Amino acid sequence: MNLLGWWRSRGSAARFDLFVRYTFYLSYVFLPPLLIISLTAEISTVALVVLVTAVLAHVVMGVRLVHFGIEHHLGKSRYPRRLLTIYVVATCTALATAELTYPDPLPGKPDSPGDGIAIIFLVLMITTLSAVARPRTLVLVAAAGGAWMYLVAPPGNAFFMTIMLQLLVAAFRSTLWMLRIVWELDRSREVRANLAVAEERLRFARDLHDVVGRNLSAVALKADLAAQLARRGRTEPAIDEMLEVRQIAQDSLDELRAVVSGYRTADLSVELAGARSLLASAGIDCRVIGDVTFDGEPAGALGWAVREGVTNVLRHSEAHTCTITLRGKILTMSNDGVSLTTFRFGSGLTGLHERIAALGGTVTAAPEAPNRFVLTVELP
């Protein structure tokens, strides 16, 4: 993969991360050579070699610290306390050595090579600490650097260097803050996408259960009824029941396609009529009290409630009667033939609760003595 392809394969957060890191690293590439070149004519060759060696060692340590500092700032590594302590001690030693080796010149000269060498290490240290040190420590170091400049440099230069150090700290620190925000936004977007996928999977599983559950129960019921009729020699009614099984299978296929396409809805009036017919086929006396006076999403949600309630009656009870009451947007389904010791809150009722809760409604399902079960769905 070429460099352009590698860059395009990275996300926006990863690109900004690289930009921030190399902004720090480039400071070590450009600043030391410029300051060393300015001192070439003022110090001896031996001193220049020693200075270059010390600066290179200081840069290597600083780059390492910047890496650990950014990783710690992003919560990916521990705070590099030991390396930071060694770095600060080495920098202070370099500052003191430069000032002692090249003391202040005579009054006729504005500054000395020691001041220039000290500026090199001071700027590098401030750059490194901007990525590593905690805010309070960073402010103290920047203030100490400014105070030191006032003691060893002319007032004009000291004021300029102090302002430059403060701006350097503010720029690097704000960049790190933005880097953390960018990564947090990237993680939030990823979490939101995963939640959307999980929610869609739950929706699909819930709809699949609601569609397949009742229809398969109806197929099993009517197939068993057709078999009993055939054993008794009543071929015509058995054929009619099997034709209904075929129709239910075809309807199930259409409903599954609707679920996959995401447009599945349940019509409350249709579901009430289907519940009455299906329960009657199972030998269960079904009464529907109340009329449908609304439509739209609330009616669809109560339609799913009727479908789930009928599925539970067929699969989990030995009911003889079932009463469906509709008062406004409150649906109640009551049936007998339920054992109080075998009741459990299954996946179907869990999916119904999630569907109704999304509309601000409530679902209650509980057995009642001696052998009844009551499902109540209320929408606001």
Side-chain angles (χ1 to χ4, degrees), residues 20-28 59-73 77 80 83-84 87 124-132 172 176:
V20 171
R21 292 176 188 270
Y22 283 99
T23 299
F24 278 94
Y25 299 153
L26 289 176
S27 301
Y28 298 101
V59 165
V60 171
M61 193 182 303
V63 170
R64 191 67 175 166
L65 263 176
V66 166
H67 170 74
F68 284 125
I70 294 177
E71 292 294 306
H72 173 73
H73 198 74
S77 69
L83 183 59
L84 179 61
Y87 180 82
L124 292 177
M125 182 177 70
I126 293 296
T127 301
T128 303
L129 294 183
S130 297
V132 182
F172 280 129
L176 285 179

Side-chain angles (χ1 to χ4, degrees), residues 101-246:
T101 305
Y102 299 97
D104 290 337
L106 298 173
K109 193 174 181 181
D111 52 15
S112 68
D115 294 337
I117 296 172
I119 289 174
I120 295 176
F121 289 99
L122 182 61
V123 172
L124 292 177
M125 182 177 70
I126 293 296
T127 301
T128 303
L129 294 183
S130 297
V132 182
R134 294 183 170 88
R136 183 180 301 177
T137 304
L138 192 56
V139 171
L140 292 176
V141 171
W148 175 82
M149 290 298 301
Y150 272 103
L151 293 176
V152 301
N157 293 350
F159 178 77
F160 172 76
M161 286 301 300
T162 302
I163 296 299
M164 189 190 74
L165 291 177
Q166 299 294 336
L167 292 176
L168 189 66
V169 168
F172 280 129
R173 204 67 187 186
S174 60
T175 303
L176 285 179
W177 175 76
M178 287 189 292
L179 176 62
R180 185 172 61 184
I181 296 297
V182 167
W183 274 117
E184 289 178 357
L185 290 175
D186 186 74
R187 286 192 293 268
S188 299
R189 183 175 61 182
E190 183 178 355
V191 169
R192 184 176 61 183
N194 291 336
L195 288 177
V197 172
E199 183 178 356
E200 182 61 19
R201 287 175 177 172
L202 288 175
R203 183 200 67 81
F204 185 81
R206 182 175 63 238
D207 289 357
L208 192 63
H209 174 275
D210 293 343
V211 169
V212 176
R214 193 201 69 168
N215 290 346
L216 288 181
S217 298
V219 167
L221 174 67
K222 288 189 171 295
D224 181 66
L225 180 59
Q228 294 181 14
L229 291 172
R231 291 192 186 99
R232 297 172 185 175
R234 303 175 60 184
T235 56
E236 290 297 327
I239 292 174
D240 293 338
E241 292 295 335
M242 291 308 299
L243 290 176
E244 288 192 27
V245 169
R246 184 183 66 179

Side-chain angles (χ1 to χ4, degrees), residues 39-380:
L39 297 173
T40 302
E42 301 185 36
I43 60 177
S44 63
T45 302
V46 176
L48 184 61
V49 172
V50 174
L51 175 61
V52 171
T53 303
V55 169
L56 288 177
H58 196 268
V59 165
V60 171
M61 193 182 303
V63 170
R64 191 67 175 166
L65 263 176
V66 166
H67 170 74
F68 284 125
I70 294 177
E71 292 294 306
H72 173 73
H73 198 74
L74 298 177
K76 298 180 180 180
S77 69
R78 300 175 59 184
Y79 188 70
R81 190 182 307 277
R82 180 180 301 176
L83 183 59
L84 179 61
T85 302
I86 296 173
Y87 180 82
V88 172
V89 171
T91 304
C92 293
T93 302
L95 292 174
T97 303
E99 289 300 327
L100 293 175
T101 305
Y102 299 97
D104 290 337
L106 298 173
K109 193 174 181 181
D111 52 15
S112 68
D115 294 337
I117 296 172
I119 289 174
I120 295 176
F121 289 99
L122 182 61
V123 172
L124 292 177
M125 182 177 70
I126 293 296
T127 301
T128 303
L129 294 183
S130 297
V132 182
R134 294 183 170 88
R136 183 180 301 177
T137 304
L138 192 56
V139 171
L140 292 176
V141 171
W148 175 82
M149 290 298 301
Y150 272 103
L151 293 176
V152 301
N157 293 350
F159 178 77
F160 172 76
M161 286 301 300
T162 302
I163 296 299
M164 189 190 74
L165 291 177
Q166 299 294 336
L167 292 176
L168 189 66
V169 168
F172 280 129
R173 204 67 187 186
S174 60
T175 303
L176 285 179
W177 175 76
M178 287 189 292
L179 176 62
R180 185 172 61 184
I181 296 297
V182 167
W183 274 117
E184 289 178 357
L185 290 175
D186 186 74
R187 286 192 293 268
S188 299
R189 183 175 61 182
E190 183 178 355
V191 169
R192 184 176 61 183
N194 291 336
L195 288 177
V197 172
E199 183 178 356
E200 182 61 19
R201 287 175 177 172
L202 288 175
R203 183 200 67 81
F204 185 81
R206 182 175 63 238
D207 289 357
L208 192 63
H209 174 275
D210 293 343
V211 169
V212 176
R214 193 201 69 168
N215 290 346
L216 288 181
S217 298
V219 167
L221 174 67
K222 288 189 171 295
D224 181 66
L225 180 59
Q228 294 181 14
L229 291 172
R231 291 192 186 99
R232 297 172 185 175
R234 303 175 60 184
T235 56
E236 290 297 327
I239 292 174
D240 293 338
E241 292 295 335
M242 291 308 299
L243 290 176
E244 288 192 27
V245 169
R246 184 183 66 179
Q247 185 61 43
I248 292 174
Q250 291 175 348
D251 293 342
S252 298
L253 182 60
D254 293 337
E255 290 175 345
L256 283 175
R257 289 170 178 169
V259 168
V260 173
S261 63
Y263 295 107
R264 168 65 188 168
T265 58
D267 184 270
L268 180 56
S269 300
V270 174
E271 293 297 334
L272 289 173
R276 186 187 294 110
S277 175
L278 183 59
L279 291 176
S281 299
I284 301 173
D285 180 24
C286 179
R287 293 187 301 162
V288 178
I289 303 174
D291 298 320
V292 179
T293 57
F294 55 94
D295 54 11
E297 194 172 11
L302 292 185
W304 284 114
V306 172
R307 177 180 284 264
E308 175 60 26
V310 171
T311 301
N312 289 337
V313 170
L314 294 174
R315 296 179 60 186
H316 305 301
S317 76
E318 298 177 357
H320 298 285
T321 63
C322 178
T323 303
I324 303 175
T325 304
L326 184 63
R327 294 186 177 90
K329 294 184 179 180
I330 301 177
L331 176 75
T332 303
M333 294 186 65
S334 174
N335 65 276
D336 58 3
V338 175
S339 174
L340 301 183
T341 59
T342 60
F343 168 73
R344 64 186 182 89
F345 206 77
S347 59
L349 290 177
T350 301
L352 178 62
H353 175 76
E354 294 172 353
R355 189 189 300 276
I356 298 301
L359 299 179
T362 58
V363 176
T364 56
E368 294 182 356
N371 62 346
R372 300 195 66 82
F373 182 83
V374 180
L375 170 67
T376 303
V377 179
E378 181 176 356
L379 292 176

